[in-house]
Amino acid sequence: MTSYSQELRDRGAAAKAPARRFSWSGLTRRPEFGAFIATVLVYGFFAATAYDAGFATFDGTAGWMNTSAELGIIAIPVGLLMVAGEFDLSVGAVVGASSITVAIGTTLFGLSIWPMIAAALALGVAVGLLNGFLVVRTGLPSFIVTLASSFSVGGLSLGLARVLSNTTSVSVKSPPLADSLFAATWGQANIAILWWFAVTLLGGWALARTPFGNWIFATGGNPVAARGAGVPTGLVKTALFVATGAGAALVGVIQAVEYHSGNATAGLGYVFQAPIVAVIGGVLLGGGYGSAFGVFLGTVIFGVINIGIFYTGWSTDWVQLFLGVLLMLAVLTNHYFRRLAMSSS
Amino acid sequence: MKLLKATLSRLGKSSVAAVSAALLLAGLGGASPAAAQGKPRIVMLAGPQWDPFFGAMKKGADDAARDLGVNYQWITGTDPNNFVADYAKLVKQAATQKPAAMVIGNYFPDTLDPIIKQITASGIPVIIQHDGGASWQQDGAISYVGFSARDLGRAVGEREVAAGAKFGLCVDHVPGNTTLDLDCQGYNDAFKAAGGDSKVLMIQFSDASNPTFVVNAIKGALQGDRKIDAIWTIGAVQGVASVDAVKKSGRKIVNGSLGLSLGSLEALKNGDLLFIADLQPYLDGYYALLAAYQYVQFKMLPMGQISTGPLMLTKDNVDEVLKVNQQFPGVRGAS
């Protein structure tokens, strides 16, 4: 047991080593290196093609960053969870549920927004706890468990919203302090971008610099060995499910305050976008490998492609084809550098 | 690989379970007061509940069922990723239960026309509702309650042309839906007739209810094409987002929408939106059920089709609508 946790510590130290001393092979071996190359290529492509439309200006940058930010707040914890070997498909439903919670509480019941924000975040945490509990206790794949909780949470918020307000979308009134926390803007850049940076730094620090981070890698890499070595894999997974629920609820709150409207069905797109950007960012679908900064780059790539295409002025009928090809290229770049890293080690 | 297979097979089983549970719940959701038991059963198949537009339609049908004491059931799909196929299956399934009459929203005529033809041939009276105005007679339906998509688009385009616009942007947030296609074609007709032109901006369905995405997509489209001087969004979420996008682009754009929310009504009041074409989905639900009931019970029918929209909302009548929206949330759409 001691030898394995020693090994884990060594692994952690080894992972940190290249950062201190520059080495080319150390750099290419990092999980986010491929994503970094892809980011530069994709950004360069759109900066050049849509330059005249102002894609590279401050406002143009704010455009894709606002989109990437909200996706990133969800995708960073989802990425960490995937490193630990689990999925969370319930994030989309949590976004809608938390935004409609804020809306119904403030507008229909006239409550102050603060307890409603607390309730929305608590809802995200509760869904996370439930997911974690079910996955750890039953041993069922998280794919199934979170799919079920996604249906349940989505259906419950839709049903309750309809019973209470006759509609799935309710307006939100927010005081200035809430506005400045969740919806402040600099020019056209939203404060969500700062939340995105904060979540990335927190996720990156937790994964790379703490024992908990080692536990995450161990849980995703070889759960049986990890458990044998005394890693509380159940706790690790549950904590990460709570993190994804909280991240999704935060995005629900941000959108509710930002657009003065809660929608029980918002957030559909995040269900697949979050794992997609994690994979683009170098996270292995099987778990055990990945980095928070890689997921961050994945969200950048996704935002740049998705919003950039509208700046090009091309027919948007081709958006999906274009997205598919570019995503494939991004993942292939990733894959190539990962293989290169493995062979040179 | 093994794990993937196992997961997929479990996923298959669980989604079957989830769909049947959803169907059961959808059935429970229908208003069927005890007094209506034993009365002829009417089934209404319509759009997804996650769109507040159809929430208003369901409210109309629920109210009609309560007012008339009809035994009615509301059925809709729950999976946004496979809505066309799921919806077609639901229509077929509902017909096998031999209801006294069916009200069907024909959102995908290519898929649904043959199915509806079969149903009407089997002797079940069908009323087409909201979409499918072009083919209801060929399908053998007894009536149609709704609007003409192409005429709607044309009327909207003409309004924007009259406001001085030359190049329109039709924001379509349901790729593959023929009604929205027709909306945008009618819109284009109006611009072409005035010597201008228009183009379509497609937004993937999964992103359509993400306001951040829609704002930045429309802003990008405006930045990317300097010719655009008018926008038409075909949904409330997209309408509010377009106002934000126009502000961020710093351009002067003639902006109109369809579908209501408090946000879009306030934008109309402020002058940020020139008009909202209100299709009055509540009336779709109410009149379709009313007509079906009267046909089943008394063999009476309105001649031809019932037009339920659009009612053009502008600065002049927005105050009344806001008042109604506050007093009766959800009747016109979002609150």
Side-chain angles (χ1 to χ4, degrees), chain A residues 2-26:
Chain A
T2 37
S3 72
Y4 189 76
S5 50
Q6 182 60 45
E7 192 194 313
L8 283 181
R9 243 174 275 134
D10 290 348
R11 221 174 103 179
K16 274 178 232 161
R20 291 203 198 107
R21 208 174 40 231
F22 179 81
S23 91
W24 177 248
S25 70

CSV table of all heavy atoms in Angstrom, one decimal, chain A residues 2-26:
chain,number,residue,atom,x,y,z
A,2,THR,N,1.9,1.2,0.9
A,2,THR,CA,2.7,2.4,0.9
A,2,THR,C,3.5,2.6,-0.4
A,2,THR,O,3.7,3.7,-0.8
A,2,THR,CB,3.7,2.3,2.1
A,2,THR,OG1,4.1,1.0,2.2
A,2,THR,CG2,3.2,2.9,3.4
A,3,SER,N,3.9,1.4,-0.9
A,3,SER,CA,4.7,1.5,-2.1
A,3,SER,C,3.9,2.1,-3.3
A,3,SER,O,4.4,2.9,-4.1
A,3,SER,CB,5.2,0.1,-2.5
A,3,SER,OG,4.2,-0.7,-3.0
A,4,TYR,N,2.6,1.7,-3.3
A,4,TYR,CA,1.8,2.3,-4.4
A,4,TYR,C,1.6,3.8,-4.3
A,4,TYR,O,1.7,4.5,-5.2
A,4,TYR,CB,0.4,1.6,-4.5
A,4,TYR,CG,-0.3,2.0,-5.8
A,4,TYR,CD1,0.1,1.4,-7.0
A,4,TYR,CD2,-1.3,2.9,-5.8
A,4,TYR,CE1,-0.6,1.8,-8.2
A,4,TYR,CE2,-2.0,3.3,-6.9
A,4,TYR,CZ,-1.6,2.7,-8.1
A,4,TYR,OH,-2.2,3.1,-9.3
A,5,SER,N,1.2,4.2,-3.1
A,5,SER,CA,1.0,5.7,-2.9
A,5,SER,C,2.3,6.4,-3.1
A,5,SER,O,2.4,7.5,-3.6
A,5,SER,CB,0.4,6.0,-1.5
A,5,SER,OG,1.1,5.3,-0.5
A,6,GLN,N,3.5,5.7,-2.8
A,6,GLN,CA,4.8,6.3,-3.0
A,6,GLN,C,4.9,6.5,-4.5
A,6,GLN,O,5.3,7.6,-5.0
A,6,GLN,CB,5.9,5.4,-2.5
A,6,GLN,CG,7.3,6.0,-2.7
A,6,GLN,CD,7.5,7.3,-2.0
A,6,GLN,OE1,7.1,7.5,-0.8
A,6,GLN,NE2,8.0,8.3,-2.7
A,7,GLU,N,4.5,5.4,-5.2
A,7,GLU,CA,4.6,5.5,-6.7
A,7,GLU,C,3.8,6.6,-7.3
A,7,GLU,O,4.2,7.3,-8.2
A,7,GLU,CB,4.1,4.1,-7.2
A,7,GLU,CG,4.5,3.9,-8.7
A,7,GLU,CD,3.7,2.7,-9.3
A,7,GLU,OE1,3.7,1.7,-8.6
A,7,GLU,OE2,3.1,2.9,-10.4
A,8,LEU,N,2.6,6.8,-6.7
A,8,LEU,CA,1.7,7.8,-7.1
A,8,LEU,C,2.4,9.2,-6.9
A,8,LEU,O,2.3,10.0,-7.8
A,8,LEU,CB,0.4,7.8,-6.3
A,8,LEU,CG,-0.6,6.8,-6.7
A,8,LEU,CD1,-1.9,6.9,-5.9
A,8,LEU,CD2,-1.0,6.9,-8.2
A,9,ARG,N,3.0,9.3,-5.7
A,9,ARG,CA,3.7,10.6,-5.5
A,9,ARG,C,4.8,10.8,-6.5
A,9,ARG,O,5.0,11.9,-7.0
A,9,ARG,CB,4.2,10.6,-4.0
A,9,ARG,CG,3.5,11.7,-3.2
A,9,ARG,CD,3.9,11.6,-1.7
A,9,ARG,NE,3.1,10.6,-1.0
A,9,ARG,CZ,3.6,9.7,-0.2
A,9,ARG,NH1,4.9,9.5,0.0
A,9,ARG,NH2,2.7,8.9,0.4
A,10,ASP,N,5.5,9.7,-6.7
A,10,ASP,CA,6.6,9.8,-7.7
A,10,ASP,C,6.1,10.2,-9.1
A,10,ASP,O,6.6,11.1,-9.8
A,10,ASP,CB,7.3,8.5,-7.9
A,10,ASP,CG,8.1,8.1,-6.6
A,10,ASP,OD1,8.3,9.0,-5.8
A,10,ASP,OD2,8.5,7.0,-6.5
A,11,ARG,N,4.9,9.6,-9.4
A,11,ARG,CA,4.3,9.9,-10.7
A,11,ARG,C,4.0,11.4,-10.8
A,11,ARG,O,4.1,12.1,-11.7
A,11,ARG,CB,3.1,9.1,-10.9
A,11,ARG,CG,2.9,8.5,-12.3
A,11,ARG,CD,1.8,7.6,-12.4
A,11,ARG,NE,0.7,8.3,-13.0
A,11,ARG,CZ,-0.5,7.7,-13.3
A,11,ARG,NH1,-0.7,6.5,-12.9
A,11,ARG,NH2,-1.4,8.4,-13.9
A,12,GLY,N,3.4,11.9,-9.6
A,12,GLY,CA,3.0,13.3,-9.6
A,12,GLY,C,4.3,14.2,-9.7
A,12,GLY,O,4.3,15.1,-10.5
A,13,ALA,N,5.4,13.8,-9.1
A,13,ALA,CA,6.6,14.6,-9.1
A,13,ALA,C,7.1,14.5,-10.6
A,13,ALA,O,7.6,15.5,-11.1
A,13,ALA,CB,7.6,14.0,-8.2
A,14,ALA,N,7.1,13.3,-11.2
A,14,ALA,CA,7.6,13.2,-12.5
A,14,ALA,C,6.8,14.1,-13.5
A,14,ALA,O,7.4,14.6,-14.4
A,14,ALA,CB,7.5,11.7,-13.0
A,15,ALA,N,5.5,14.1,-13.3
A,15,ALA,CA,4.6,14.9,-14.2
A,15,ALA,C,5.0,16.4,-14.0
A,15,ALA,O,4.9,17.1,-15.0
A,15,ALA,CB,3.2,14.7,-13.8
A,16,LYS,N,5.4,16.8,-12.8
A,16,LYS,CA,5.7,18.2,-12.6
A,16,LYS,C,7.1,18.5,-13.2
A,16,LYS,O,7.4,19.7,-13.6
A,16,LYS,CB,5.7,18.5,-11.1
A,16,LYS,CG,4.3,18.9,-10.7
A,16,LYS,CD,4.4,19.1,-9.2
A,16,LYS,CE,3.3,18.3,-8.4
A,16,LYS,NZ,3.6,18.2,-7.0
A,17,ALA,N,8.0,17.5,-13.2
A,17,ALA,CA,9.4,17.8,-13.5
A,17,ALA,C,9.6,18.6,-14.8
A,17,ALA,O,10.3,19.6,-14.8
A,17,ALA,CB,10.2,16.5,-13.6
A,18,PRO,N,9.0,18.2,-16.0
A,18,PRO,CA,9.3,18.9,-17.2
A,18,PRO,C,8.9,20.4,-17.2
A,18,PRO,O,9.5,21.2,-17.9
A,18,PRO,CB,8.4,18.2,-18.3
A,18,PRO,CG,8.0,16.9,-17.6
A,18,PRO,CD,8.0,17.2,-16.1
A,19,ALA,N,8.0,20.7,-16.3
A,19,ALA,CA,7.6,22.1,-16.2
A,19,ALA,C,8.7,23.0,-15.7
A,19,ALA,O,8.8,24.2,-16.1
A,19,ALA,CB,6.3,22.3,-15.4
A,20,ARG,N,9.5,22.4,-14.9
A,20,ARG,CA,10.6,23.2,-14.3
A,20,ARG,C,11.7,23.5,-15.3
A,20,ARG,O,12.3,24.5,-15.4
A,20,ARG,CB,11.2,22.5,-13.1
A,20,ARG,CG,10.2,22.4,-11.9
A,20,ARG,CD,10.9,22.2,-10.6
A,20,ARG,NE,9.9,21.8,-9.6
A,20,ARG,CZ,9.8,20.5,-9.2
A,20,ARG,NH1,10.7,19.6,-9.6
A,20,ARG,NH2,8.9,20.2,-8.3
A,21,ARG,N,12.1,22.4,-16.0
A,21,ARG,CA,13.2,22.5,-16.9
A,21,ARG,C,12.6,22.3,-18.3
A,21,ARG,O,11.9,21.3,-18.6
A,21,ARG,CB,14.2,21.4,-16.6
A,21,ARG,CG,15.6,21.7,-17.0
A,21,ARG,CD,16.5,20.6,-16.5
A,21,ARG,NE,15.9,19.3,-16.7
A,21,ARG,CZ,15.8,18.4,-15.7
A,21,ARG,NH1,16.2,18.6,-14.5
A,21,ARG,NH2,15.3,17.2,-16.0
A,22,PHE,N,12.9,23.2,-19.2
A,22,PHE,CA,12.3,23.1,-20.5
A,22,PHE,C,12.9,21.9,-21.3
A,22,PHE,O,14.1,21.8,-21.3
A,22,PHE,CB,12.4,24.4,-21.4
A,22,PHE,CG,11.8,24.3,-22.7
A,22,PHE,CD1,10.5,24.4,-22.9
A,22,PHE,CD2,12.6,23.9,-23.8
A,22,PHE,CE1,9.9,24.3,-24.2
A,22,PHE,CE2,12.0,23.8,-25.1
A,22,PHE,CZ,10.7,24.0,-25.2
A,23,SER,N,12.0,21.1,-21.9
A,23,SER,CA,12.5,20.1,-22.8
A,23,SER,C,11.4,19.8,-23.8
A,23,SER,O,10.2,19.8,-23.5
A,23,SER,CB,12.9,18.8,-22.1
A,23,SER,OG,11.8,17.9,-22.0
A,24,TRP,N,11.8,19.7,-25.0
A,24,TRP,CA,10.9,19.6,-26.1
A,24,TRP,C,10.0,18.3,-26.0
A,24,TRP,O,8.8,18.4,-26.1
A,24,TRP,CB,11.6,19.6,-27.5
A,24,TRP,CG,10.7,19.4,-28.7
A,24,TRP,CD1,10.7,18.3,-29.5
A,24,TRP,CD2,9.7,20.3,-29.1
A,24,TRP,NE1,9.8,18.5,-30.4
A,24,TRP,CE2,9.1,19.7,-30.3
A,24,TRP,CE3,9.3,21.6,-28.7
A,24,TRP,CZ2,8.1,20.3,-31.0
A,24,TRP,CZ3,8.3,22.2,-29.4
A,24,TRP,CH2,7.7,21.5,-30.5
A,25,SER,N,10.7,17.2,-25.7
A,25,SER,CA,9.9,16.0,-25.6
A,25,SER,C,9.0,16.0,-24.4
A,25,SER,O,7.9,15.5,-24.4
A,25,SER,CB,10.9,14.8,-25.4
A,25,SER,OG,11.5,14.8,-24.2
A,26,GLY,N,9.4,16.7,-23.3
A,26,GLY,CA,8.5,16.9,-22.1
A,26,GLY,C,7.3,17.7,-22.5
A,26,GLY,O,6.2,17.4,-22.1
